[in-house]
Amino acid sequence: MLLPGKGPTPGALTVTSGDETRTLDQPYAAARVSRPGSVSGQKTSETEVRQTFGPALEAQPGRPVSFYLYFLADTDEFTPESKQVVTQLFAEIARRPAPEIVAIGHTDRVGSVPYNDALSLRRAERVRDELVKLGIPRGRISVAGRGAREPEVRTAEKVAEARNRRVEISVR
Amino acid sequence: MKFPTTIALALPLALMVGVLQAGAAEDAGRIKVSKGVVQIERSGQRLPAPVGSIVRQGDLVITGADGSAGISFRDNSLLSVGPDSVLSIDRFVFDSTTHQGAFESSLKQGTLAVVSGKLAKQSPEAMKVRTPAAILGVRGTEFLVRTGSVKD
């Protein structure tokens, strides 16, 4: 059963049993497989969903949230805006059960793929070290480098773009 | 002369097993919500699974009649199960740089709510949920699954 999507693009779900496949791409579309090889379509409602799936839905963990930090040029100092972001970040961490933090570095499209991957990881590690200094236990923070794969602003290759040189902090 | 040959063969095998186990033991996710009876079965042993428990590839997450559990995975997928459920984490591989990998799970019984994460967004083939009768392919979405008993 497919739920109404919360994202900008509705997703889809394929249900396959034996040789039969049905694609669900509408909110509350549902499929029933009563015996292997037989997939029948049906429509469900919010009420029915609540009845059957209430406890599973109530147990859904909070959705991950991302914060973005920028540094003053050539320093280890956060920009004044980023200091406010750090306050929000701490509030978010405090209200989550068993919080985990991932520092994810991003680059612009100047430089090769391996270079940007390494650079983005270094940026993430630097932010992790800053967060540890601010009192977050090191063991709660992991790091990742996405290189230039996930730009905030799309650009052509080899274009310098400050808004893409950032570190995302994902809290889950 | 046979003895040294055996040793030479055994050593690389032992190293390979070590590497495979290290990969398999990597954390896949963490329990964020745990209500009523929630257990993780790992290597044949059942342990209580309070908030903060680590979930690994190969684990079974089991809830009692009053139980429900929510798990956040490393790729930001969110899976939660209702009462009397058995969810098997068959495979979880996630490359945090490329977002490539695989996430395969099976709902043996009960109810499951899924919000897919970075793996499904990167590749429509990456995430699959199995039930005893069907395979669900996930293309970046939220959905619900119930595996009923034969009576249903």
Side-chain angles (χ1 to χ4, degrees):
Chain A
M1 173 186 308
L2 194 69
L3 278 182
K6 295 203 169 90
T9 48
L13 185 70
T14 58
V15 181
T16 306
S17 184
D19 296 333
E20 236 184 277
T21 293
R22 185 171 280 270
T23 300
L24 308 182
D25 55 8
Q26 296 297 317
Y28 296 114
R32 185 184 177 89
V33 182
S34 41
R35 58 187 161 78
S38 152
V39 186
S40 58
Q42 55 189 83
K43 184 115 175 141
T44 183
S45 66
E46 194 178 338
T47 317
E48 205 180 333
V49 163
R50 281 281 148 205
Q51 267 171 12
T52 310
F53 294 98
L57 285 167
E58 274 162 37
Q60 240 170 19
R63 281 161 207 258
V65 178
S66 285
F67 299 86
Y68 292 88
L69 289 182
Y70 302 84
F71 289 86
L72 292 172
D74 288 331
T75 71
D76 282 344
E77 287 282 300
F78 293 128
T79 60
E81 296 79 15
S82 292
K83 280 183 186 158
Q84 281 202 325
V85 173
V86 169
T87 308
Q88 292 166 20
L89 170 69
F90 273 69
E92 186 64 39
I93 292 168
R95 67 175 197 84
R96 285 192 179 238
E100 296 164 273
I101 298 118
V102 191
I104 307 164
H106 300 275
T107 68
D108 60 25
R109 298 185 72 189
V110 178
S112 67
V113 169
Y115 179 84
N116 283 334
D117 286 359
L119 175 62
S120 62
L121 189 61
R122 278 207 308 278
R123 285 191 173 141
E125 285 167 347
R126 203 167 107 187
V127 165
R128 182 209 32 215
D129 294 346
E130 287 300 314
L131 295 177
V132 170
K133 275 187 218 160
L134 290 169
I136 301 176
R138 184 170 279 261
R140 289 229 178 260
I141 313 173
S142 53
V143 288
R146 278 283 272 159
R149 291 174 188 78
E150 214 174 301
E152 190 173 305
V153 184
R154 297 226 163 258
T155 70
E157 251 184 286
K158 310 293 173 202
V159 172
E161 172 54 67
R163 284 170 292 177
N164 291 338
R165 297 194 295 267
R166 68 211 195 278
V167 173
E168 173 186 357
I169 299 173
S170 169
V171 183
R172 66 170 185 256
Chain B
M1 286 306 284
K2 267 185 181 169
F3 186 61
T5 315
T6 313
I7 298 275
L9 276 172
L11 189 62
L13 268 178
L15 286 173
M16 273 172 63
V17 170
V19 168
L20 286 174
Q21 281 175 343
E26 199 176 2
D27 299 355
R30 209 172 266 267
I31 301 267
K32 303 285 180 173
V33 178
S34 179
K35 290 181 199 155
V37 173
V38 181
Q39 294 176 308
I40 290 176
E41 187 176 306
R42 182 178 299 155
S43 321
Q45 271 201 308
R46 273 198 199 190
L47 301 164
V51 169
S53 302
I54 285 165
V55 175
R56 294 192 173 132
Q57 175 175 299
D59 284 355
L60 287 180
V61 179
I62 301 162
T63 55
D66 62 343
S68 61
I71 314 158
S72 295
F73 287 84
R74 280 198 297 122
D75 80 319
N76 282 356
S77 300
L78 309 174
L79 269 65
S80 53
V81 286
D84 285 321
S85 298
V86 180
L87 176 70
S88 167
I89 309 304
D90 302 321
R91 189 158 177 242
F92 187 90
V93 183
F94 176 57
D95 182 321
S96 64
T97 296
T98 62
H99 288 182
Q100 268 156 358
F103 187 3
E104 291 168 24
S105 59
S106 312
L107 184 68
K108 311 278 188 195
Q109 72 173 59
T111 50
L112 169 71
V114 178
V115 180
S116 66
K118 292 176 175 179
L119 283 164
K121 194 177 176 194
Q122 176 67 33
S123 150
E125 307 298 314
M127 190 178 196
K128 288 189 177 69
V129 178
R130 290 188 172 81
T131 71
I135 301 173
L136 314 184
V138 183
R139 276 179 266 154
T141 191
E142 299 183 24
F143 60 97
L144 302 163
V145 189
R146 181 166 73 105
T147 299
S149 60
V150 186
K151 295 186 297 262
D152 297 347

